[in-house]
């Protein structure tokens, strides 16, 4: 996180999203700088996914300012926001079932940063194919690229969504619950892949309920509750924040996470 003169890559100010009388996102501010990894946690219904929907244009903000590199995006459509450099994954695994991993990822490359005219591209350029191959390597799917999606396990389907998003070469990647439903070994596999993205300099906002995943990857953590931001800071401060412990973690989970973080610090 930058506190100097660097302009935020993403700047959210006083963002509200109402559904009727319910404020699903309530007066939320957030700055994300190039290279940041920001983790968002909180109880079910806290407004986490809705906030990503607002940023990516799926559910536009009711009010407030959202800027990407200084350009206002709050009223733009999802495809326009993607063309400007924001890509995302979703909680539910999505893919064209009869197509291969590589073919699915090519769709992301083509429609994410392809021609912006009225008609879809009928062929894939060499540059698109190169982006796809890079994305497959980053997601450890290069040896499975010809497998058909309907035959894939849950882990590979999640990685496929990530590869499709990365194939657009986004300035900001939004990842929504990438390890939900996975076993501990698979969680570790995804963690290593996200660490690789971080080393590549990808700027990330991620949502996750698996707190060891969230805390070990995020430089900065945001906790939401009833649409509001109740905490923003590092992992150490999070585990000592009484409100976060009371409304979300609980004493037992906080103690276990603290023990995990202490062990990690001792082991370097």
């Amino acid at each position: 996180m930058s506190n100097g003169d660097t302009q935020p890559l993403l700047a959210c100010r006083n963002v509200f999203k109402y559904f009727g009388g319910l404020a699903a996102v309530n007066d939320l501010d957030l700055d994300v700088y190039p290279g940041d990894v920001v983790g968002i946690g909180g109880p079910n219904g806290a407004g986490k996914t809705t906030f990503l929907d607002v940023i990516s244009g799926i559910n536009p903000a009711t009010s407030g300012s959202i800027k990407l590199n200084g350009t206002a995006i709050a009223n733009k459509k999802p495809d326009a926001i993607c063309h400007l450099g924001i890509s995302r994954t979703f909680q539910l695994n999505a893919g064209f079932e009869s197509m291969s991993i590589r073919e699915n990822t090519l769709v992301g490359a083509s429609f994410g940063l392809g021609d912006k005219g009225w008609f879809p591209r009928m062929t894939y350029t060499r540059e698109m194919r190169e982006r796809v191959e890079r994305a497959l390597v980053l997601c450890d799917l290069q040896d499975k690229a010809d497998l058909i999606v309907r035959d894939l396990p849950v882990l590979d389907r999640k990685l496929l969504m990530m590869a499709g998003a990365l194939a657009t070469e986004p300035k900001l990647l939004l990842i929504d619950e990438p390890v939900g439903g996975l076993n501990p070994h698979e969680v570790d596999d995804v963690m290593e892949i996200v660490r690789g993205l971080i080393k590549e300099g990808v700027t990330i906002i991620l949502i996750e309920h698996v707190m060891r995943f969230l805390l070990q990857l995020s430089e900065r953590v945001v906790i939401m509750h009833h649409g509001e931001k109740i905490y923003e800071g590092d992992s150490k401060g999070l585990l000592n924040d009484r409100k976060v412990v009371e409304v979300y973690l609980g004493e037992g989970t906080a103690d276990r996470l603290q023990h995990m973080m202490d062990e990690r610090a001792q082991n370097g």
Side-chain angles (χ1 to χ4, degrees), residues 168-204:
T168 71
E169 294 193 337
K171 298 172 184 174
L172 174 62
L173 176 63
L174 312 178
I175 310 177
D176 196 352
E177 295 195 22
V179 297
L182 300 183
N183 63 44
H185 177 73
E186 291 170 331
V187 170
D188 291 339
D189 289 344
V190 178
M191 195 177 300
E192 286 306 307
I193 286 169
V194 176
R195 285 195 177 113
L197 301 182
I198 295 169
K199 290 179 181 178
E200 291 289 322
V202 180
T203 306
I204 297 171

Side-chain angles (χ1 to χ4, degrees), residues 1 6-13 15 28-36 38 40 51-52 54-57 65-74 81 85-86 171-174 203-205 220 232:
M1 178 179 178
T6 304
Q7 174 180 272
L9 174 62
L10 179 76
C12 302
R13 295 289 181 274
V15 175
L28 200 146
D29 293 346
L30 182 67
D31 284 338
V32 180
Y33 291 85
D36 271 356
V38 178
I40 301 180
F51 183 48
L52 292 198
V54 166
I55 294 172
S56 57
S65 170
I66 305 174
K67 293 183 178 180
L68 181 72
N69 273 337
T71 299
I73 63 171
I81 292 173
I86 296 179
K171 298 172 184 174
L172 174 62
L173 176 63
L174 312 178
T203 306
I204 297 171
I205 299 177
R220 182 160 37 110
E232 180 177 359

Side-chain angles (χ1 to χ4, degrees), residues 13 30 38 50-52 62-63 70 74 95 116 121 152 154 166 173 187-188 200 205 207 213 224-225 227 229 261:
R13 295 289 181 274
L30 182 67
V38 178
T50 301
F51 183 48
L52 292 198
T62 304
S63 62
K116 302 172 188 177
R121 176 180 288 277
L152 297 179
V154 173
L166 287 168
L173 176 63
V187 170
D188 291 339
E200 291 289 322
I205 299 177
I207 293 172
F213 183 93
M224 294 179 65
H225 185 53
K229 179 172 63 177
M261 298 302 287

Side-chain angles (χ1 to χ4, degrees), residues 5-161:
D5 297 329
T6 304
Q7 174 180 272
L9 174 62
L10 179 76
C12 302
R13 295 289 181 274
N14 307 116
V15 175
F16 286 85
K17 177 60 184 180
Y18 281 94
F19 294 102
L22 173 67
V25 177
N26 190 354
D27 197 18
L28 200 146
D29 293 346
L30 182 67
D31 284 338
V32 180
Y33 291 85
D36 271 356
V37 182
V38 178
I40 301 180
N44 288 328
K48 306 181 297 297
T49 293
T50 301
F51 183 48
L52 292 198
D53 289 346
V54 166
I55 294 172
S56 57
I58 293 173
N59 271 314
T62 304
S63 62
S65 170
I66 305 174
K67 293 183 178 180
L68 181 72
N69 273 337
T71 299
I73 63 171
N75 295 314
K76 294 186 180 295
K77 294 181 179 180
D79 59 330
I81 292 173
C82 182
H83 291 151
L84 287 171
I86 296 179
S87 192
R88 69 169 293 181
T89 70
F90 295 85
Q91 292 179 22
L92 298 178
N93 303 321
F96 296 101
E97 295 285 309
S98 63
M99 295 166 59
S100 71
I101 286 176
R102 179 178 282 110
E103 289 167 337
N104 269 267
T105 310
L106 275 165
V107 172
S110 176
F111 287 87
L113 286 178
D115 291 339
K116 302 172 188 177
W118 291 103
F119 300 101
R121 176 180 288 277
M122 300 303 293
T123 60
Y124 299 120
T125 67
R126 178 178 178 181
E127 190 270 341
M128 286 179 187
R129 293 182 182 277
E130 289 174 349
R131 280 195 273 118
V132 165
E133 296 308 314
R134 287 197 296 271
L136 294 177
V137 169
L138 286 171
C139 294
D140 197 24
L141 291 172
Q142 67 275 19
D143 295 331
K144 304 177 181 179
D146 296 322
L147 296 181
I148 302 302
V149 169
R150 63 171 170 264
D151 301 323
L152 297 179
V154 173
L155 172 60
D156 288 343
R157 285 173 175 262
K158 287 180 176 291
L159 296 178
L160 170 59
M161 276 201 301

